[in-house]
């Protein structure tokens, strides 16, 4: 099994329950969702395709993780859409190192592999998550580009475990420009339903990912500002 690796880098988790935790990210190439505000558009958008994508086996990736991050750092498999791939060989290789393995996914296909944490980010404007992934989710991240995205995201979560955390994240350009229609809608939703939590992409304030030589630093402005790189 070879995985198309768009980028890999060592940083810290900028979102969700594991905010601030040291994390090695493996970003796989390819996604059918084509969100117009995507902040990883290089993984699928025809205008931002890289010159080449490195194919790496599970053991090869595990060795890179071992060499480029210390014991105790979690590994986050993201994309693109990583759920499209059989992750079992990769999760097995990473567990053999003693690493916890997380996934960030829109949940459109069955999970394959032993995953320690599942972050579900539903895309109601595209393919919704399948029920078996909703039932496995440890946390949910609903991206709010428009106030209506809150309810649309929640409507995809039938069968979500009671203990799963639900985050409302302002889409980054809306957060950066302090779009009050989005920020106030998140605040109001959290006040009305205490199960919800207001989220933010803290790593983008720090520009933490940019500090790793392997991260993609091309200017990809979907949902953002080309001058800032996102």
């Amino acid at each position: 099994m070879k995985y198309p690796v768009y980028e890999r880098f060592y940083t810290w988790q900028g979102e969700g329950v594991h905010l601030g935790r040291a994390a090695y990210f493996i970003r796989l190439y390819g996604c059918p969702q084509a969100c117009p505000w995507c902040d990883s558009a290089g993984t699928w958008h025809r205008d931002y395709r890289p010159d080449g994508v490195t194919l790496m086996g599970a053991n090869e990736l595990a060795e890179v993780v071992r060499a480029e991050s210390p014991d105790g750092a979690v590994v986050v498999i993201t994309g693109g859409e990583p759920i499209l791939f059989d992750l079992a060989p990769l999760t097995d290789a990473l567990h053999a190192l003693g690493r916890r393995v997380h996934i960030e996914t829109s949940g459109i296909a069955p999970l394959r592999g032993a995953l320690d944490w599942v972050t579900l980010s539903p895309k109601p404007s595209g393919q919704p998550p399948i029920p078996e992934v909703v039932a496995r989710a440890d946390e949910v991240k609903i991206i709010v580009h428009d106030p209506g995205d809150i309810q649309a995201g929640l409507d995809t979560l039938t069968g979500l475990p009671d203990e799963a955390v639900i985050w409302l994240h302002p889409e980054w350009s809306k957060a950066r420009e302090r779009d009050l229609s989005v920020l106030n809608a998140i605040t109001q939703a959290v006040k009305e339903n205490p199960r919800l939590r207001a989220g933010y992409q803290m790593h983008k304030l720090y520009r933490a990912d940019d500090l790793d030589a392997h991260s993609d630093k091309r200017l990809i402005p979907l949902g953002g500002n080309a001058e800032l790189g996102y």
Side-chain angles (χ1 to χ4, degrees):
M1 181 71 190
K2 296 282 189 178
Y3 301 96
V5 179
Y6 175 77
E7 61 179 337
R8 52 183 174 79
F9 54 93
Y10 181 47
T11 182
W12 45 267
Q13 175 59 268
E15 309 167 353
V17 171
H18 295 278
L19 173 66
R21 185 173 184 178
Y24 193 97
F25 278 77
I26 298 172
R27 188 181 302 281
L28 302 182
Y29 185 85
C31 182
Q33 297 285 43
C35 300
W37 38 257
C38 179
D39 64 358
S40 300
T43 60
W44 62 270
H45 197 288
R46 65 174 181 265
D47 293 341
Y48 302 105
R49 287 174 182 158
D51 293 334
V53 175
T54 302
L55 296 177
M56 301 180 71
N59 291 333
E60 184 180 7
L61 272 169
E63 174 57 27
V64 165
V65 169
R66 185 202 62 77
E68 298 180 357
S69 63
D71 292 343
V74 301
V75 179
V76 181
I77 306 173
T78 184
E81 181 41 82
I83 209 170
L84 300 176
F85 303 94
D86 181 0
L87 299 177
L90 181 55
T91 60
D92 288 349
L94 293 170
H95 282 144
L97 294 179
R99 301 300 182 96
R100 287 180 57 85
V101 185
H102 300 189
I103 189 173
E104 298 180 351
T105 177
S106 63
I108 59 176
L111 288 164
R112 291 173 287 176
L115 294 152
D116 301 297
W117 189 267
V118 176
T119 299
L120 172 64
S121 184
K123 304 298 188 291
S125 62
Q127 295 176 245
I130 63 175
E132 67 183 82
V133 179
V134 175
R136 283 282 312 279
D138 296 291
E139 66 178 345
V140 175
K141 180 177 65 176
I142 296 173
I143 307 299
V144 185
H145 182 266
D146 177 271
D149 294 337
I150 297 174
Q151 190 58 51
L154 293 173
D155 288 344
T156 69
L157 302 180
T158 300
L160 183 71
D162 291 341
E163 63 273 16
V165 178
I166 304 174
W167 297 94
L168 304 180
H169 275 256
E171 185 271 314
W172 179 243
S173 68
K174 302 291 186 177
R176 191 192 62 245
E177 302 300 334
R178 294 189 55 79
D179 185 325
L180 292 181
S181 67
V182 166
L183 299 181
N184 289 351
I186 291 174
T187 294
Q188 187 62 29
V190 171
K191 290 166 69 175
E192 292 176 355
N193 181 356
R195 183 180 182 184
L196 306 180
R197 299 188 191 181
Y200 206 80
Q201 294 180 300
M202 292 294 292
H203 60 293
K204 290 186 176 178
L205 295 179
Y206 281 73
R207 302 299 295 269
D209 299 355
D210 291 354
L211 299 179
D212 190 291
H214 298 297
S215 67
D216 184 7
K217 300 173 180 63
R218 294 177 302 148
L219 300 182
I220 300 178
L222 288 192
N225 184 318
E227 293 181 358
L228 297 177
Y230 39 72

